[in-house]
Amino acid sequence: MCIRDRVYILYAIIVAFNFFLGTSILLDNPQKETNRSFFFVILVGMGWVISLYYYYIITDSQLILVVGRANFAFAALSMYAMYNFIRNFISIPFSRIQSFFILETILLTFITIVTPFISAQELIVGSARVTEFGALYFLYLVHMVFYLSYAIGLLIRRIYRNRKERVDKVGNGIKYLAAGVFITFFIVIITNVILPFFFNYSNLQNYAPLYTVILFGLSAYAIGKHHLFNLKVISTEIFTYILWFFVFIRFLVATEIVDIWLNLGLLILVIVVGMLLMRSVVREVEQREKIEKLATDLQKANTHLTELDRQKSEFVSFATHQLRAPLTAMKGYASLLLEGDMGELAAAAREGVSRIFESTKTLVHIVDDYLNISRIELGSMKYMFEPVNFKSMVEDVIAEMKPLIDKTGLKFSFAAETAATDYVISADRDKLKQVIANVVDNSMKYTPQGSVAVSLAYDPKRRMIIFMVKDTGVGIPPEMLPQLFQKFSRADNANKVNIRGTGLGLFVAKQMIEAHHGTIHAESPGEGKGSSFIVELPLQSDLHST
């Protein structure tokens, strides 16, 4: 096989790859003007390569003249196509001057094909082809150089302006395709136009299509580096094009009329099915990319919301910490006034100070709850664990709450089983006392009448201490039980008994108990049938062993 035959084989490969590249870009987004104009560049380039191929293999002088003029026409048309692609690429709107460019290109193409003013004659000199240029060939040169230099100038100006304004509008994969087009056509003009006309050197003309390897290299870089196309789409297109190619070859080599029609029908069928297949894959990829974009946007929104939540928690922590000091002072002075340390108070004044004291105490509890929640959310809650006798702690809490218990008029009881343990756990004394007080106080608040029974037991099988508060109060609806330990969660019937509740105490209790490696849950037969709150904590020895 001679070198020229190999070159012609490469022509066929170049045409196939051009078609693959152009179709891939077009199918990526058929509605985009840039993609359509690039596909037009590819089609015109394919016409130029095919006409150049036949120009060198035809031996009839009349046909050589026809094909040679067609080759010149495709070359002129390719310059405008390339310019139009760049215009769309850098988003220059269509104007009157564009209409003039179209008319000029159509006129020059017509003159090139049907008149001798561009290509007067094509001669066969040995194995070479020699063109005798017509009287208007210089206008042809002006057309070629003008569109090439104008397009490159537009791109350079846009890149310079974007850098100056620090805008990267052309910073994507298509700019590499554009660069490949510029370089390829620039070399083609030199080898096919300038060298033959000015220096009478045409040996490089038949190699011109091979220079498009620059375009392919930059295109491959754009695909691999910037993910202009999806791998799944590319694989599907390659498979489809190979199938088309083999069916087309079958059609060409068929000799029987029946085989010709059968292969033609098969070719049409595989083209239609292949186009539908490629389109469906493109749509699938587009949908996946949209989902991925939505997932990315959701992740960004989630990160932003997390940051806002953190800032909210910091603000609540700061605000409640600032409120705590004056409330404590108010509560302290109200207590001194009630105890007579600052002189005797009249009955009316004592009643008012008593209300101030109770309201301040309620506010202190609310502020403490908010402060604890903000610390929990920020992860700044500190625990000082030490050995604690849980039974003694419960007895101390009940003793401290005795005045409040006596005020309610409820039947209150505490019972601790005699167990084979000393009830010693590892705990933060102050925080665990707060949990016990909250649970007991919560039961008393929602028990208008009846009883509250506190019990302490030990489960030897699970080696857990069980603290339970059982009341005969308003009870908990079944649908409310799963949400009871969430922030701001309160049953509807609870608002009828205690309108001051915030729905924070049980949430804080749950977080603190879990920090002690324990659990807390509630049970209730239903509304109006009372409820039970159960806290389970491991022994200190079990924690040390783990």
Side-chain angles (χ1 to χ4, degrees):
M1 182 183 293
C2 66
I3 294 177
R4 177 165 293 183
D5 290 337
R6 293 174 182 173
V7 170
Y8 294 154
I9 291 174
L10 288 176
Y11 277 15
I13 296 174
I14 289 169
V15 169
F17 190 85
N18 270 339
F19 186 69
F20 162 71
L21 185 64
T23 307
S24 299
I25 295 177
L26 182 66
L27 291 177
D28 186 59
N29 190 352
Q31 286 75 39
K32 194 173 182 180
E33 192 65 33
T34 302
N35 293 28
R36 292 203 298 264
S37 58
F38 185 81
F39 183 67
F40 181 62
V41 172
I42 293 294
L43 288 181
V44 174
M46 288 171 58
W48 173 69
V49 174
I50 292 172
S51 63
L52 190 63
Y53 167 73
Y54 283 107
Y55 177 74
Y56 283 106
I57 67 170
I58 291 175
T59 57
D60 184 88
S61 58
Q62 293 299 319
L63 287 178
I64 288 177
L65 181 61
V66 173
V67 175
R69 288 178 178 177
N71 183 256
F72 276 106
F74 275 118
L77 191 59
S78 67
M79 285 295 105
Y80 171 78
M82 184 270 298
Y83 154 76
N84 185 57
F85 163 63
I86 301 309
R87 179 184 66 81
N88 286 297
F89 169 63
I90 59 178
S91 302
I92 295 178
F94 191 88
S95 61
R96 290 183 180 179
I97 191 68
Q98 314 303 331
S99 301
F100 172 77
F101 288 163
I102 293 174
L103 291 175
E104 182 272 334
T105 301
I106 293 174
L107 180 61
L108 181 64
T109 303
F110 177 78
I111 292 173
T112 302
I113 293 175
V114 301
T115 72
F117 296 132
I118 305 300
S119 174
Q121 191 173 356
E122 298 290 345
L123 304 176
I124 302 176
V125 181
S127 61
R129 305 291 188 269
V130 178
T131 302
E132 288 187 0
F133 299 110
L136 299 181
Y137 185 68
F138 73 96
L139 293 177
Y140 182 86
L141 289 178
V142 170
H143 169 91
M144 302 290 280
V145 174
F146 169 77
Y147 282 108
L148 179 65
S149 54
Y150 189 27
I152 293 176
L154 287 176
L155 184 69
I156 292 174
R157 187 175 66 178
R158 177 54 60 91
I159 292 175
Y160 174 77
R161 191 176 76 183
N162 288 347
R163 285 185 178 179
K164 188 177 180 180
E165 298 175 358
R166 303 195 177 200
V167 177
D168 191 22
K169 292 183 180 178
V170 294
N172 53 48
I174 296 181
K175 78 176 182 181
Y176 295 98
L177 300 178
V181 172
F182 302 153
I183 298 171
T184 300
F185 278 99
F186 185 76
I187 295 176
V188 168
I189 282 183
I190 291 176
T191 56
N192 278 43
V193 179
I194 296 177
L195 288 180
F197 183 75
F198 292 102
F199 301 97
N200 197 28
Y201 185 79
S202 58
N203 291 346
L204 297 177
Q205 280 184 302
N206 59 325
Y207 295 100
L210 305 183
Y211 307 141
T212 55
V213 69
I214 299 170
L215 170 62
F216 305 152
L218 290 174
S219 300
Y221 178 81
I223 294 169
K225 182 71 174 178
H226 291 267
H227 310 290
L228 186 60
F229 311 117
N230 186 278
L231 183 61
K232 187 174 182 179
V233 175
I234 294 174
S235 302
T236 304
E237 290 171 350
I238 291 175
F239 170 77
T240 304
Y241 296 149
I242 292 174
L243 184 61
W244 289 353
F245 176 76
F246 281 110
V247 176
F248 181 67
I249 295 299
R250 283 177 55 88
F251 170 71
L252 291 179
V253 301
T255 56
E256 299 292 334
I257 189 66
V258 175
D259 291 340
I260 291 175
W261 283 107
L262 285 175
N263 285 304
L264 178 60
L266 181 61
L267 178 62
I268 295 172
L269 178 63
V270 296
I271 289 175
V272 173
V273 173
M275 292 295 290
L276 292 174
L277 174 64
M278 288 189 290
R279 189 59 190 156
S280 66
V281 172
V282 169
R283 287 177 179 173
E284 178 189 341
V285 171
E286 288 175 350
Q287 291 296 323
R288 190 182 68 187
E289 289 176 349
K290 287 179 181 178
I291 292 172
E292 289 175 353
K293 185 178 182 302
L294 289 173
T296 302
D297 293 342
L298 183 61
Q299 179 63 33
K300 290 179 180 178
N302 185 56
T303 302
H304 180 63
L305 289 174
T306 302
E307 176 61 20
L308 289 178
D309 188 63
R310 185 189 64 81
Q311 293 177 2
K312 177 267 298 178
S313 297
E314 288 180 349
F315 171 76
V316 171
S317 178
F318 174 77
T320 52
H321 190 272
Q322 295 299 313
L323 287 171
R324 201 165 183 266
L327 285 173
T328 302
M330 291 167 61
K331 180 183 174 185
Y333 278 108
S335 178
L336 291 174
L337 287 169
L338 290 173
E339 291 173 1
D341 293 344
M342 302 180 71
E344 290 295 326
L345 294 177
R350 175 174 289 276
E351 182 180 353
V353 172
S354 178
R355 290 184 179 180
I356 292 173
F357 178 76
E358 292 299 328
S359 297
T360 305
K361 188 166 65 171
T362 301
L363 278 175
V364 168
H365 286 309
I366 293 173
V367 167
D368 283 343
D369 284 341
Y370 276 108
L371 186 59
N372 285 327
I373 286 175
S374 62
R375 286 173 177 171
I376 290 168
E377 291 178 340
L378 291 171
S380 61
M381 179 70 82
K382 305 297 182 183
Y383 293 90
M384 300 296 294
F385 291 97
E386 59 179 333
V388 173
N389 187 299
F390 192 50
K391 179 182 176 183
S392 299
M393 178 183 285
V394 173
E395 291 173 343
D396 291 341
V397 170
I398 293 174
E400 292 172 6
M401 295 181 68
K402 191 173 186 310
L404 180 61
I405 294 170
D406 293 340
K407 272 187 181 181
T408 62
L410 297 172
K411 182 181 179 182
F412 188 90
S413 63
F414 169 63
E417 293 182 4
T418 303
T421 179
D422 53 7
Y423 289 109
V424 174
I425 62 173
S426 180
D428 183 308
R429 186 182 298 272
D430 293 335
K431 290 183 176 58
L432 194 54
K433 284 182 68 173
Q434 180 182 340
V435 171
I436 296 168
N438 278 347
V439 173
V440 174
D441 184 62
N442 188 75
S443 289
M444 292 192 300
K445 283 178 180 177
Y446 298 106
T447 305
Q449 56 185 1
S451 63
V452 174
V454 179
S455 62
L456 197 60
Y458 174 67
D459 185 348
K461 291 183 180 179
R462 295 188 297 128
R463 296 182 60 80
M464 298 289 285
I465 296 174
I466 302 172
F467 169 77
M468 179 170 19
V469 180
K470 186 174 183 179
D471 62 61
T472 59
V474 296
I476 305 168
E479 66 274 9
M480 193 63 200
L481 281 172
Q483 299 148 13
L484 196 61
F485 292 90
Q486 297 177 6
K487 282 188 294 185
F488 306 108
S489 178
R490 301 185 75 211
D492 293 337
N493 60 348
N495 292 321
K496 300 174 184 177
V497 180
N498 180 20
I499 61 173
R500 295 182 181 180
T502 60
L504 297 174
L506 291 179
F507 171 78
V508 172
K510 184 176 186 294
Q511 300 300 316
M512 290 183 174
I513 290 298
E514 288 179 351
H516 285 76
H517 306 282
T519 61
I520 180 172
H521 66 278
E523 298 174 357
S524 177
E527 194 169 354
K529 299 179 180 180
S531 56
S532 300
F533 289 86
I534 300 99
V535 175
E536 297 183 348
L537 293 166
L539 292 174
Q540 182 192 26
S541 57
D542 290 341
L543 287 176
H544 287 170
S545 64
T546 58

